[in-house]
Amino acid sequence: MGALKDLGGGEGEVKSMRTAPGQLRRGIGRAMLARIVETARARGYRRLNLETGTSPSFAAANALYEQAGFVDGPVFGGYPPSPHNRFMTLSL
């Protein structure tokens, strides 16, 4: 499952991405993210943002986002910054 939220002003947010436990490490997350990015571009967004975790359990997700071109970015969307979350952005 993956979700894309319109933030207004030409920006979107990768709101959620989940893969069924039995389907991990099969490229499904990569395909979902590619589809979300494609949809964001089709909607005319200039930037795509996401908020993720920093604990070791998020290492695979963070690696996926980095491989897709996301970089650390500013806090957005009313999320409170903490040592437990990471904000990333992708220029489209």
Side-chain angles (χ1 to χ4, degrees), residues 4-91:
L4 173 60
K5 179 180 179 180
D6 184 347
L7 296 177
E11 296 193 17
E13 176 184 359
V14 178
K15 195 64 185 151
S16 183
M17 283 188 41
R18 299 283 185 269
T19 302
Q23 300 301 313
L24 296 173
R25 308 272 189 251
R26 295 183 180 203
I28 294 169
R30 186 175 317 283
M32 265 193 290
L33 184 57
R35 178 66 173 158
I36 289 170
V37 170
E38 175 186 319
T39 301
R41 284 189 173 120
R43 290 182 183 178
Y45 295 164
R46 296 180 331 256
R47 179 171 305 283
L48 195 53
N49 303 291
L50 62 87
E51 183 264 347
T52 188
T54 59
S55 70
S57 64
F58 287 92
N62 283 312
L64 173 66
Y65 301 137
E66 290 168 356
Q67 290 168 5
F70 283 83
V71 296
D72 289 316
V75 175
F76 70 93
Y79 290 103
S82 82
H84 308 291
N85 60 357
R86 180 179 183 189
F87 299 92
M88 301 183 80
T89 188
L90 176 70
S91 293

